[in-house]
């Protein structure tokens, strides 16, 4: 026999029953967006490479080191998406969504891919919930987006997370700040790769995690200290709205997100129980992204939250996420005649909105009842030859183990009423 195939290094499979928690986290994170009127969007898992190289930024590690890029049979350079925002903006431009009412509010959920060193909390494929509000530059909208991200974590019951907030300025104040930062970095002992990165985007150096670099940055100028009057007023208004919404934050003047398109409001959500991989989500405003992808000069703000990373945070806090049972009723047939009735009953229950299942294959009572227990059902319907001869079925409570005989003519209504109670 050949060696069994395995998932690629740095990837993983999400399997039942643990996948129920994954789905619960995903759905809880997206619920605030649905309640706020955001519309669902789905874009391809791969895009033209330029969508990310131009949108995310050539100086980022994401573009320079981590993208999965390939040439297709038509000679086109394509890339598996390393994040969702750039692809959503491409779709916003291509389909002229900007021609309608603004802002355009969108949400998405899907896999992204980055070639990284696999470690706890960091994988080469991961799932993100993405939120975008496009076309309007309004600090109240910034606050709404930030609050929606926070609400998802609150709805999960998470407590040990922190919202870190700053402003990265805009085109009116970034150039002057850039000169100050470039002059400061020129005096430091940096390797050639870091200096090259600083020439493209000096802010990236502030995000360098190496201790030997961070040790030299204590006196680095900070963007938040050099905001223009209009940008400072924008940031002040964002914080006022967040206060009104009951959202607390920590000022993080050294915060630099890993993507080049961020301007003005920038934020990250971190969890204290995840060690070095503490970020569970983040985002910000990106006023130049649309124009860089060939669209109109419109602003946008959004965030991405890692479903996998958030699930780790849920587990770190020991939260019991309420998930519905796989099925509510499990039908156990014993014999060919009982099997026909079981299949029919399961179909009727499902059509009526009751989640139901039955046993398949040749199993005796003991094996079938084990399957019923594993299903998570609250009740089992046991159909045996003797019961059918008497015109009844046994309805068993799998929690209390109490059992009652129910006439076949009343079985459907009785099961539906019992498991729905």
């Amino acid at each position: 026999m050949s060696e069994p195939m395995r998932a690629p290094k740095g990837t993983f499979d999400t399997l039942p029953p643990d996948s129920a928690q994954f789905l619960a986290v995903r759905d809880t994170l997206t619920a605030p967006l649905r309640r706020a009127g955001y519309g669902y969007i789905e874009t391809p898992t791969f895009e033209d490479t330029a969508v990310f190289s131009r949108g995310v930024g050539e100086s980022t590690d994401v573009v320079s080191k981590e993208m999965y890029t390939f040439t297709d049979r038509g000679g086109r350079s394509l890339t598996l998406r390393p994040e969702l925002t750039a692809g959503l903006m491409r779709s916003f431009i291509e389909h002229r969504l900007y021609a309608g009412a603004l802002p355009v509010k969108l949400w998405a959920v899907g896999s992204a891919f980055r070639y990284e060193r696999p470690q706890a909390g960091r994988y080469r494929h991961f799932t993100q919930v993405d939120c975008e509000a496009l076309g309007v530059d309004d600090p109240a909208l910034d606050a709404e987006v930030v609050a929606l991200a926070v609400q998802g974590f609150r709805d999960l019951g998470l407590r040990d997370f922190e919202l870190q907030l700053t402003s990265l300025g805009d085109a009116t104040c970034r150039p002057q700040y850039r000169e100050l930062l470039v002059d400061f970095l020129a005096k430091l002992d940096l390797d050639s790769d870091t200096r090259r990165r600083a020439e493209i985007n000096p802010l990236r150096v502030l995000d360098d995690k190496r201790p030997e670099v961070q040790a030299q940055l204590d006196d680095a100028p900070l963007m938040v200290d050099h905001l223009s009057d209009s940008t400072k007023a924008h940031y002040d208004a964002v914080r006022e709205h967040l206060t009104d919404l009951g959202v607390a934050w920590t000022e993080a003047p050294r915060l630099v997100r890993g993507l080049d398109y961020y301007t003005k409001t920038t934020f990250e959500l971190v969890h204290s129980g995840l060690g070095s991989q503490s970020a569970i989500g983040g985002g910000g405003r990106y006023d130049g992204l649309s124009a860089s992808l060939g669209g109109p000069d419109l602003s946008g703000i959004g965030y991405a939250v890692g479903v996998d990373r958030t699930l780790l945070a849920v587990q770190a806090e020991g939260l019991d996420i309420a998930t519905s049972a796989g099925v509510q009723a499990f039908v156990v047939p014993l014999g060919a005649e009982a099997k026909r009735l079981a299949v029919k009953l399961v179909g009727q229950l499902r059509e009526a909105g009751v989640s139901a299942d039955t046993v398949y294959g040749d199993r005796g009572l003991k094996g079938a009842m084990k399957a019923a227990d594993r299903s998570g059902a609250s009740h089992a319907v046991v159909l045996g030859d003797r019961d059918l001869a008497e015109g009844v079925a046994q309805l068993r409570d799998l929690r209390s183990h109490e059992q009652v005989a129910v006439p076949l003519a009343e079985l459907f209504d009785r099961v539906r009423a019992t498991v729905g109670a």
Side-chain angles (χ1 to χ4, degrees):
M1 292 180 62
S2 60
E3 286 291 321
M5 303 297 291
R6 296 182 179 275
K9 182 179 179 181
T11 67
F12 58 93
D13 298 313
T14 302
L15 306 172
D18 296 337
S19 54
Q21 277 200 331
F22 177 91
L23 291 175
V25 169
R26 184 197 67 184
D27 294 344
T28 302
L29 292 174
T30 60
L33 302 173
R34 297 194 298 270
R35 294 196 300 265
Y38 285 64
Y40 180 71
I41 180 173
E42 188 164 330
T43 60
T45 305
F46 58 89
E47 299 269 1
D48 285 337
T49 300
V51 169
F52 305 115
S53 61
R54 287 162 54 186
V56 175
E58 295 281 5
S59 71
T60 64
D61 285 348
V62 171
V63 171
S64 64
K65 300 178 181 179
E66 298 172 0
M67 294 202 312
Y68 282 94
T69 298
F70 59 97
T71 302
D72 73 358
R73 294 183 179 183
R76 293 170 287 261
S77 178
L78 302 175
T79 296
L80 296 179
R81 62 186 180 199
E83 54 93 53
L84 274 62
T85 298
L88 267 61
M89 182 62 82
R90 186 272 310 154
S91 181
F92 171 79
I93 296 167
E94 179 178 346
H95 299 287
R96 297 178 57 83
L97 299 184
Y98 54 82
L102 299 176
V104 174
K105 296 182 174 183
L106 305 170
W107 71 273
V109 60
S111 294
F113 308 86
R114 298 183 190 179
Y115 189 87
E116 300 187 280
R117 183 172 62 85
Q119 54 188 296
R122 187 177 289 274
Y123 308 100
R124 292 178 177 174
H125 104 269
F126 48 93
T127 303
Q128 290 185 335
V129 168
D130 195 90
C131 162
E132 312 293 345
L134 308 175
V136 173
D137 183 358
D138 185 338
L141 187 59
D142 293 27
E144 173 183 284
V145 168
V146 174
L148 288 171
V150 170
Q151 189 61 53
F153 295 132
R154 287 177 174 173
D155 291 349
L156 284 167
L158 289 172
R159 291 179 171 272
D160 300 335
F161 71 92
E162 177 183 73
L163 168 63
Q164 298 181 348
L165 186 71
T166 194
S167 175
L168 290 180
D170 64 5
T172 65
C173 52
R174 283 271 277 271
Q176 295 90 336
Y177 170 69
R178 187 183 191 281
E179 290 183 14
L180 289 173
L181 184 57
V182 167
D183 289 343
F184 174 84
L185 295 176
K187 303 172 186 176
L188 304 186
D189 180 19
L190 302 176
D191 60 84
S192 58
D193 286 343
T194 305
R195 290 208 175 278
R196 189 160 45 250
R197 188 181 302 120
E199 291 173 3
I200 301 173
N201 183 355
L203 274 173
R204 301 296 314 132
V205 181
L206 299 181
D207 194 39
D208 196 309
K209 300 299 190 293
R210 291 174 296 176
E212 63 272 22
V213 176
Q214 283 296 318
Q216 302 180 66
L217 298 176
D218 289 344
D219 298 325
L222 301 174
M223 183 70 250
V224 75
D225 295 329
H226 297 84
L227 299 177
S228 65
D229 290 343
S230 62
T231 308
K232 185 178 184 304
H234 184 281
Y235 189 41
D236 288 342
V238 170
R239 290 179 289 187
E240 289 172 354
H241 288 304
L242 287 176
T243 298
D244 294 339
L245 291 168
V247 175
W249 71 90
T250 298
E251 292 288 345
R254 294 183 179 275
L255 176 62
V256 179
R257 298 281 297 158
L259 310 175
D260 277 357
Y261 50 60
Y262 287 116
T263 59
K264 294 183 181 174
T265 306
T266 306
F267 64 98
E268 192 160 87
L269 292 139
V270 298
H271 193 276
S272 62
L274 300 185
S276 61
Q277 304 300 328
S278 61
I280 51 179
R285 181 162 285 284
Y286 39 85
D287 289 349
L289 180 57
S290 177
S292 73
L293 293 177
D297 188 14
L298 291 175
S299 61
I301 182 168
Y303 68 79
V305 170
V307 178
D308 323 281
R309 197 78 67 81
T310 302
L311 179 55
L312 291 177
V314 166
Q315 294 168 345
E317 292 196 29
L319 299 177
D320 182 15
I321 302 178
T323 57
S324 58
V327 295
Q328 295 166 280
F330 195 93
V331 184
V332 176
L334 303 173
E337 184 180 354
K339 185 64 169 284
R340 287 193 63 188
L341 180 56
V343 171
K344 180 181 179 180
L345 176 60
V346 166
Q348 291 175 324
L349 290 170
R350 290 172 176 172
E351 187 176 351
V354 176
S355 54
D357 200 3
T358 187
V359 65
Y360 295 97
D362 296 325
R363 297 193 193 183
L365 178 61
K366 185 176 180 180
M369 292 308 299
K370 284 184 177 179
D373 288 334
R374 287 194 298 269
S375 74
S378 62
H379 289 76
V381 178
V382 181
L383 299 169
D385 289 339
R386 183 181 302 176
D387 295 318
L388 294 182
E390 296 175 1
V392 299
Q394 302 297 325
L395 181 58
R396 180 179 299 183
D397 188 321
L398 293 174
R399 298 161 298 189
S400 67
H401 303 293
E402 294 179 357
Q403 183 170 299
V404 294
V406 178
L408 294 178
E410 303 173 11
L411 184 58
F412 167 73
D413 290 333
R414 182 72 173 271
V415 173
R416 184 173 62 169
T418 300
V419 300

